[in-house]
Amino acid sequence: MMAQVFRKIAALVAAAAAIGAVPLASATAPAQSAPENRNWAAHVVETEGGHAIGNPQAPLRLTEYISYTCPGCARFTREGEGALTLAYIAPGRVRLEI
């Protein structure tokens, strides 16, 4: 089940990159490069409407609208959030805004 969720997340990121919405690699170096060994999943800041987790310079921002009483949201949290955090947020590729 976790593999299916991980594949769906990877497909979304790949699709966004394919249409040019998300430049995963650029020809020039970014002004501020992320430290190689930093765990961006531990970087949480309060925003105007909620919280942001991850690298502020990440090339992709994922906005999550969540309801604490929604069974679908609960399922995603149980089955998909770990994979998303491990594969995309922690290395600094995605910033999650909640």
Side-chain angles (χ1 to χ4, degrees):
M1 182 61 92
M2 184 64 81
Q4 290 175 338
V5 172
F6 182 74
R7 273 187 246 132
K8 288 179 184 178
I9 294 169
L12 286 172
V13 172
I19 62 170
V22 180
L24 292 180
S26 63
T28 60
Q32 293 180 339
S33 60
E36 288 287 324
N37 297 326
R38 177 140 186 200
N39 178 6
W40 286 104
H43 182 80
V44 180
V45 294
E46 190 171 341
T47 63
E48 185 177 318
H51 293 86
I53 305 167
N55 180 1
Q57 302 298 320
L60 178 65
R61 298 199 191 300
L62 176 63
T63 303
E64 178 181 12
Y65 298 94
I66 188 167
S67 168
Y68 293 107
T69 59
C70 170
C73 295
R75 182 175 179 196
F76 172 76
T77 300
R78 279 191 317 273
E79 298 174 6
E81 190 171 22
L84 176 67
T85 300
L86 182 64
Y88 294 101
I89 298 171
R93 291 188 232 159
V94 173
R95 181 176 185 174
L96 177 64
E97 298 177 355
I98 301 171

